[in-house]
Amino acid sequence: MANTRTVTVINGDGIGPEVMAATIRVLEALKVPLEFEHKDAGTEVVAKYGTNLPHETVEAVLRSGVALKGPTGTVVGGGLPSANVGLRKRLDLYSSLRPVKSVPNVKTRYEGVDLVVVRENTESLYAGIEHIIVPGVVESLKIITEKASTRIARFGFEYARKHGRKKVTGVHKANIMKLSDGLFLDCCRKVGREYPEIHYEEVIIDNLCMQLVKDPSRFDVLVLENLYGDIVSDLCAGLVGGLGVVPGANIGERTAVFEAVHGTAPDIAGKGIANPTALMMSAVMMLDYLDMREEARRMEGAIQKVYGDGKVRTGDLGGGATTRDFTDAIIAAL
Ligand code: NAI
């Protein structure tokens, strides 16, 4: 097919293959001009490759420029470094973009939540630089650079400008980490001066968490360093119905990897009951990124319709539908 784009597909672990199969079914039903190249990553392929992030997978994403990825598991404590963090570093996917929006008919404590979490993806404590100084004392280094902080701030303000958003909030703990978070804030302020039409404010991370659960409508675009962004993303997912419904993207200069915020959900893996909405909405973000806007709106519209009708719901949202039932309903709504 003319103008067919190749997308690297990484199923991942746990519920990854289930939600990925569902999402690919919808993309195929949409008849988008995409070709899917399947590659491996995650704990379940370590025996085959001796690593959770095979070189050929990274190469494939570098070639295609775009990947759709399921979650990959990471052992707590020891074990291999995270495949996710590795992929983000190797592809320099410096920004993580997570739009958090209320889903029609999904009752939560809040209505009309519509905010965007912009997370720096390559440094902070996630640099993973840890060592034992003497037995019983461990040092973990938080790396913050002017380069990475400036580019994530620019990404946040550019996103705000492009999407008509009114406010950017720089999140920090610079009252305690005066140098590292201080540098991060400095970069946000400098970049912010180039966007006079967008209101810029700063909030300390602990206060942000309290404000978010009190009144999430107070926020618009949040810009955070890596660890704060990770934690706040899950908090925000809880505001709109949980991890099953929040999409995400990891974006660099030349490549982008689209994946849900949730993990491998080992407690429900293999049961066919996972909610595929988050990965489906990540695929919608991918279609927009690829400038396939009409298909993006059709897919998004079908998901909204199924929620709007309120008949087919997966277990995480109090329904009894399986992943397949839900996917069938989306395809019917297309
Ligand atoms: P998790 O997101 O896998 O699960 C948390 C809870 O949310 C569980 O009760 C799970 O059943 C539920 N849940 C998550 N996604 C769901 C969905 N689509 N439908 C219905 N329910 C859903 O978080 P957890 O348990 O902390 O992490 C499990 C593994 O996933 C770990 O190894 C972690 O490292 C990995 N992980 C990977 C990520 C990635 O690859 N992007 C992101 C987050 C965690």
Side-chain angles (χ1 to χ4, degrees):
M1 202 188 301
N3 298 323
T4 297
R5 278 289 304 251
T6 300
V7 170
T8 309
V9 172
I10 302 167
N11 278 346
D13 302 316
I15 60 169
E18 300 165 48
V19 290
M20 185 63 76
T23 304
I24 300 278
R25 273 187 67 207
V26 176
L27 288 169
E28 284 176 348
L30 260 180
K31 302 202 187 326
V32 271
L34 294 177
E35 191 174 79
F36 303 108
E37 185 185 24
H38 290 262
K39 291 289 168 189
D40 292 329
T43 46
E44 283 159 32
V45 302
V46 174
K48 185 170 166 195
Y49 297 95
T51 169
N52 56 9
L53 184 59
H55 184 64
E56 60 177 84
T57 301
V58 178
E59 287 296 309
V61 186
L62 281 170
R63 266 197 318 274
S64 67
V66 183
L68 189 60
K69 179 184 167 295
T72 42
T74 309
V75 178
V76 174
L80 290 168
S82 152
N84 249 333
V85 174
L87 194 64
R88 289 169 195 167
K89 276 194 192 158
R90 301 259 293 273
L91 301 173
D92 199 21
L93 302 168
Y94 67 87
S95 54
S96 160
L97 180 63
R98 291 163 173 185
V100 181
K101 211 172 168 183
S102 297
V103 182
N105 258 336
V106 173
K107 288 266 166 293
T108 66
R109 285 170 192 271
Y110 312 95
E111 273 171 28
V113 178
D114 181 12
L115 54 88
V116 180
V117 178
V118 174
R119 163 187 171 192
E120 203 289 323
N121 240 352
T122 62
E123 53 181 33
S124 170
L125 283 162
Y126 273 66
I129 307 171
E130 295 189 312
H131 47 256
I132 298 169
I133 297 176
V134 290
V137 183
V138 169
E139 188 172 52
S140 184
L141 299 183
K142 169 162 167 161
I143 308 292
I144 297 287
T145 65
E146 185 179 4
K147 181 181 169 213
S149 305
T150 301
R151 69 180 179 174
I152 196 65
R154 191 168 300 289
F155 186 94
F157 278 99
E158 270 304 308
Y159 182 92
R161 178 174 277 174
K162 225 169 147 184
H163 293 83
R165 300 242 168 202
K166 303 277 177 283
K167 186 165 75 172
V168 168
T169 305
V171 182
H172 67 98
K173 189 78 188 176
N175 49 332
I176 305 296
M177 281 161 276
K178 294 178 194 289
L179 289 183
S180 53
D181 283 17
L183 174 59
F184 182 81
L185 277 188
D186 252 5
C187 298
C188 290
R189 284 175 199 153
K190 272 189 198 139
V191 173
R193 287 200 275 276
E194 297 170 32
Y195 298 79
E197 80 279 18
I198 295 163
H199 177 67
Y200 173 66
E201 65 168 17
E202 292 167 357
V203 178
I204 294 178
I205 177 72
D206 32 354
N207 182 19
L208 174 85
C209 293
M210 185 272 290
Q211 303 261 4
L212 275 170
V213 296
K214 260 181 85 177
D215 179 14
S217 69
R218 185 179 151 348
F219 296 102
D220 197 346
V221 177
L222 304 174
V223 177
L224 313 94
E225 58 92 289
N226 209 339
L227 179 65
Y228 305 157
D230 190 13
I231 297 167
V232 168
S233 296
D234 275 31
L235 188 159
C236 288
L239 303 175
V240 296
L243 290 165
V245 296
V246 177
N250 298 296
I251 300 176
E253 298 298 343
R254 282 180 296 277
T255 43
V257 175
F258 295 83
E259 65 176 340
V261 172
H262 65 72
T264 59
D267 51 339
I268 56 166
K271 296 184 179 162
I273 56 170
N275 186 349
T277 306
L279 188 62
M280 287 180 183
M281 286 303 294
S282 306
V284 169
M285 290 173 76
M286 179 182 79
L287 294 175
D288 273 323
Y289 178 85
L290 292 172
D291 249 342
M292 299 179 177
R293 302 207 183 267
E294 198 192 315
E295 289 91 343
R297 296 292 77 74
R298 277 185 64 210
M299 185 161 171
E300 186 178 31
I303 296 168
Q304 302 257 340
K305 180 170 186 331
V306 170
Y307 277 105
D309 290 348
K311 291 188 201 120
V312 186
R313 287 283 170 84
T314 44
D316 56 319
L317 299 177
T322 62
T323 311
R324 173 162 277 279
D325 297 333
F326 182 82
T327 311
D328 288 343
I330 301 285
I331 292 171
L334 285 175

